[in-house]
């Protein structure tokens, strides 16, 4: 009697190897199993957000077309038609489904107040107001119009920006424009090719 998932996988694997040794070709069976998993799903082509290689992925969701049903991601795999990766994904990209379906995923902005030992959720409007307030205050306090040689530099040394690997090329372009317009010179992004 099989009592655990591990035992089930062990028996299935041994069975599969035995069937292969007996001359059965299991490739169509595995293909059929995969087909069953995604048969009712909708395909959405997207781009892996993890690094600047930008591999193409297909995201499979069910429930998109039914009323009052939240679409649910059921499978993510490499896009075989994509010119960069031709269906392949590195281990990080292959775990994308866990990135989407993760109870630890943050869905709201958070802040840790001075002196506090924990992060708290705040509303998006509050986050935007507070960022605007602190950017203005910091820039005014650290803006340098002229350097030691009396040359005009107009730079802000009190703010730094670093972009994450999930930022798109377009987002990084806009960030570059916004930061340079503020005079920020400590600026780095992971712009996509
Ligand atoms: S699958 Fe891997 S190599 Fe491709 S974009 Fe994602 S992280 Fe980069």
């Amino acid at each position: 009697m099989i009592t655990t998932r591990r035992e089930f996988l062990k028996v299935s694997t041994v069975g599969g190897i035995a069937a292969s040794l007996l001359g059965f070709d299991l490739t169509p069976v595995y293909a059929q199993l995969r087909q069953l998993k995604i048969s009712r799903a909708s395909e959405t082509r997207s781009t892996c957000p993890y690094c600047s290689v930008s591999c193409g992925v297909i995201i499979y969701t069910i429930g998109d077309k039914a009323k009052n049903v939240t679409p649910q991601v059921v499978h993510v795999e490499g896009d075989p038609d994509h010119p960069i990766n031709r269906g392949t994904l590195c281990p990080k990209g292959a775990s994308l489904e866990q990135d989407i379906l993760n109870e630890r995923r943050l869905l709201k902005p958070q802040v840790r107040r001075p002196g506090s030992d924990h992060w708290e959720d705040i509303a998006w409007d509050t986050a935007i107001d507070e960022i605007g307030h602190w950017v203005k205050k910091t820039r005014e306090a650290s803006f340098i119009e002229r350097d030691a040689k009396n040359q005009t530099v107009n730079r802000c040394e009190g703010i730094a920006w670093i972009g994450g690997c999930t930022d798109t090329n377009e987002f990084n372009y806009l960030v570059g424009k916004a930061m340079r317009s503020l005079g920020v010179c400590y600026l780095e992004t992971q712009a996509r090719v």
Side-chain angles (χ1 to χ4, degrees), residues 171-193:
F171 180 80
N172 283 323
Y173 175 82
L174 291 173
V175 163
K177 289 280 184 192
M179 288 299 125
R180 290 197 174 97
S181 71
L182 293 172
V184 172
C185 45
Y186 303 127
L187 166 67
E188 186 58 281
T189 69
Q190 189 182 354
R192 297 193 178 276
V193 283

Side-chain angles (χ1 to χ4, degrees), residues 82-107:
H82 199 281
I84 289 178
N85 56 316
R86 296 179 188 276
T88 62
L89 291 176
C90 77
K92 200 171 168 187
S95 69
L96 253 185
E97 187 180 338
Q98 294 161 31
D99 182 49
I100 301 164
L101 304 173
N102 195 326
E103 62 185 25
R104 296 176 63 196
R105 184 175 179 176
L106 296 181
L107 301 174

Side-chain angles (χ1 to χ4, degrees), residues 139 142-148 151-159 179-180 182-186:
R139 183 174 183 270
S142 61
F143 194 77
I144 297 173
E145 280 185 40
R146 292 181 173 274
D147 66 6
Q151 293 171 320
T152 302
V153 288
N154 285 334
R155 65 181 179 232
C156 169
E157 295 188 350
I159 299 175
M179 288 299 125
R180 290 197 174 97
L182 293 172
V184 172
C185 45
Y186 303 127

Side-chain angles (χ1 to χ4, degrees), residues 48-55 57 85 88-94 192:
C48 173
Y50 282 136
C51 88
S52 53
V53 174
S54 308
C55 295
V57 296
N85 56 316
T88 62
L89 291 176
C90 77
K92 200 171 168 187
R192 297 193 178 276

Side-chain angles (χ1 to χ4, degrees), residues 42 44 60-66 68-74 100-101:
S42 302
T44 305
Y60 293 90
T61 50
I62 57 171
D64 312 43
K65 293 170 183 125
N68 304 323
V69 174
T70 305
Q72 177 72 46
V73 174
V74 292
I100 301 164
L101 304 173

